[in-house]
Amino acid sequence: MSVTPAISVDSLPVTPLDDREQFLAQLETSLAQNTFLKLVLSKYRGNEPELQRIDARLVTVREQPCLSFVYNYKTRDITKNLPLSEAIECIAGLLPAAFKNAHLLSLTDELQLVFSKRDKSQLFVGKSVQRDAPTAAHNREKKRFLELSRPFLADLGVTNAKHELVPAMARKWKQINKFIEVFAHALSSSPLREDQPIHAVDFGSGKGYLTFALHDYLRNSLGLEAQVRGVELREDMVSLCNAAAANLEQPGLLFQHGDVRTYAPEQIDIMIALHACDVATDYALHLGIRSNASIIMCSPCCHKQIRPQMHSPAMLKPMLQYGVHLGQEAEMVTDSLRALLLEACGYSTRVFEFVSLEHTNKNKMILAVKRTEAINPAELLAKIRGIKEFYGISEHCLENLLKTDGRL
């Protein structure tokens, strides 16, 4: 097999090869130098209606190195092993005739080849990083969920035309990465299946940073069939984000004008509501619960409902006479009740610190993942009653909504 010399990241802009040839050359080089980790072909546009993606990994068959292709269909998987030279020819024939997205991961580089509807290609190359060899048991490969080379980051102003981070967007970049990291862990433990379409809704999507990132991770990084909706009250933001989605040719991504209290989607598998003010968080959680969402992610803000109701127990009055402490206590009680109510509705729930949003110093997140096993909510409901009685709380918005539905 002839070996094309490795292509350095710095030389890519001046190479005479086109994007597709560069990608195939780097694939061949990674196989020849034994740095290949995996290849994913997604965005299938061929003639087999149930084929979704192809995953390829390196195997040895009868002492000969081969690429093992796993053809992922909606209801089954088919595996085919090909010698390396045949495998490269096969991949070349599939791009872009059958697949519009190819993701190559090696020990030194990460490449993303994307084709538009008219087969115009774009190649995005991640910075070279030293990854641990998979054979080193004591070393673990660092998980990277998002790269600066992703095209939506440039369109949203997070990176410049050279895919370099804009200094003023460093905080936003950190938030986006942490959000995807948290979501990825939640997805891995959720009952959602890769062979089924996934419907996600992001309430209060704003400029769409996290909405675009979620869509990109689901469809491009994981190759899943995902429909992602950003719901926002400000119509100018909706128009701005839809224009960006159209410019980037992002199928399955749509922004809509609406409010969490009135929005009624057909299906929600993933419900996100960051910086939902006061009881808007309760309405978002309620929508996620009654939609039987597998993943619910909320970042509460402006805890106003519980604080006026709270009667400081005698033992706590010396602490809670200070307004800042009373406010912090009210936030803790409000979100603890929310988490316990989610548990009572069949979710495994965590409350933890997140990266604060740019327009608020609030940094708490409530993450709920649907359990597969049934639970008895009686003990949890007793704990909720105990907390309310201790503080003299008469009502909680989420609890009232769930009672109205007959879920409690």
Side-chain angles (χ1 to χ4, degrees):
M1 177 181 70
S2 63
V3 179
T4 302
I7 302 173
S8 68
V9 174
D10 292 337
S11 67
L12 281 177
V14 295
T15 178
L17 301 177
D18 64 20
D19 293 335
R20 178 176 172 277
E21 290 173 334
Q22 290 176 30
F23 183 89
L24 294 172
Q26 195 70 353
L27 168 63
E28 191 169 355
T29 297
S30 69
L31 290 169
Q33 296 180 349
N34 199 29
T35 61
F36 177 89
L37 290 176
K38 68 176 181 179
L39 174 74
V40 178
L41 304 181
S42 58
K43 290 190 177 180
Y44 179 69
R45 298 296 184 268
N47 297 322
E48 297 186 61
E50 293 192 348
L51 181 59
Q52 296 179 328
R53 58 184 267 176
I54 294 177
D55 297 304
R57 61 187 181 89
L58 193 62
V59 297
T60 301
V61 179
R62 297 179 181 177
E63 300 183 354
Q64 180 183 19
C66 296
L67 275 187
S68 178
F69 292 86
V70 179
Y71 290 71
N72 294 279
Y73 293 83
K74 288 186 178 180
T75 57
R76 70 192 191 283
D77 291 341
I78 296 177
T79 301
K80 298 180 181 179
N81 298 324
L82 295 177
L84 297 187
S85 57
E86 293 182 28
I88 294 173
E89 290 180 6
C90 176
I91 294 167
L94 294 172
L95 297 173
F99 291 91
K100 304 299 183 184
N101 193 313
H103 185 189
L104 171 64
L105 187 66
S106 74
L107 290 174
T108 56
D109 298 292
E110 184 167 0
L111 282 75
Q112 189 93 10
L113 180 63
V114 179
F115 293 93
S116 67
K117 293 180 180 179
R118 298 182 179 179
D119 289 341
K120 181 181 178 181
S121 63
Q122 283 185 294
L123 181 63
F124 303 97
V125 183
K127 292 182 179 179
S128 299
V129 296
Q130 183 62 47
R131 289 185 171 88
D132 297 329
T135 56
H138 60 283
N139 290 329
R140 291 175 182 258
E141 178 187 339
K142 183 178 179 181
K143 185 71 174 178
R144 299 162 68 213
F145 295 97
L146 200 63
E147 296 293 336
L148 285 170
S149 58
R150 302 306 304 137
F152 78 91
L153 293 170
D155 209 75
L156 296 180
V158 178
T159 60
N160 58 26
K162 297 180 179 180
H163 302 290
E164 299 168 336
L165 179 64
V166 176
M169 300 299 290
R171 188 176 178 184
K172 173 58 67 177
W173 171 238
K174 180 181 179 181
Q175 183 200 82
I176 294 172
N177 271 284
K178 188 62 179 179
F179 170 78
I180 295 299
E181 179 183 350
V182 170
F183 172 75
H185 289 300
L187 182 63
S188 66
S189 61
S190 78
L192 291 174
R193 295 171 50 185
E194 290 190 359
D195 60 349
Q196 297 291 333
I198 293 177
H199 298 79
V201 181
D202 178 15
F203 291 100
S205 53
K207 294 182 180 178
Y209 297 110
L210 301 185
T211 321
F212 272 91
L214 176 66
H215 175 269
D216 184 85
Y217 180 70
L218 287 171
R219 293 190 71 110
N220 296 326
S221 296
L222 300 183
L224 303 179
E225 186 65 31
Q227 303 293 323
V228 180
R229 299 289 179 266
V231 180
E232 171 61 43
L233 281 170
R234 294 168 292 178
E235 294 191 27
D236 58 331
M237 291 292 99
V238 174
S239 299
L240 178 70
C241 292
N242 275 326
N247 180 57
L248 292 168
E249 296 185 350
Q250 300 290 316
L253 179 60
L254 179 67
F255 292 84
Q256 299 172 315
H257 178 258
D259 183 90
V260 68
R261 302 188 191 210
T262 56
Y263 187 79
E266 295 181 4
Q267 181 178 347
I268 299 180
D269 300 310
I270 301 163
M271 198 288 299
I272 300 167
L274 304 189
H275 191 242
C277 186
D278 196 25
V279 295
T281 291
D282 297 298
Y283 280 92
L285 292 172
H286 177 243
L287 177 58
I289 292 170
R290 65 184 173 88
S291 300
N292 200 35
S294 293
I295 299 174
I296 296 174
M297 302 175 72
C298 278
S299 183
C301 187
C302 306
H303 303 66
K304 298 178 181 178
Q305 186 199 21
I306 294 297
R307 181 169 176 170
Q309 301 179 53
M310 288 179 59
H311 299 154
S312 300
M315 184 177 62
L316 300 182
K317 281 186 177 179
M319 291 192 307
L320 302 184
Q321 65 177 314
Y322 305 106
V324 64
H325 289 167
L326 180 60
Q328 291 170 346
E329 187 83 349
E331 291 183 12
M332 182 181 70
V333 172
T334 301
D335 293 330
S336 295
L337 290 173
R338 287 166 170 164
L340 289 169
L341 286 166
L342 283 162
E343 293 274 0
C345 291
Y347 287 85
S348 175
T349 307
R350 294 173 54 213
V351 182
F352 56 94
E353 288 188 348
F354 183 59
V355 181
S356 61
L357 307 180
E358 71 276 5
H359 46 286
T360 176
N361 59 0
K362 303 292 184 181
N363 64 346
K364 187 185 295 183
M365 175 170 283
I366 299 175
L367 174 64
V369 179
K370 191 72 175 178
R371 296 180 183 272
T372 55
E373 70 279 5
I375 65 163
N376 184 355
E379 183 178 348
L380 291 162
L381 295 177
K383 291 179 179 180
I384 292 169
R385 286 194 299 271
I387 293 173
K388 290 175 63 182
E389 290 172 4
F390 183 77
Y391 285 101
I393 298 169
S394 59
E395 63 177 31
H396 186 282
C397 182
L398 178 57
E399 184 182 27
N400 291 344
L401 292 169
L402 292 171
K403 284 182 177 179
T404 301
D405 273 357
R407 299 179 185 274
L408 293 181

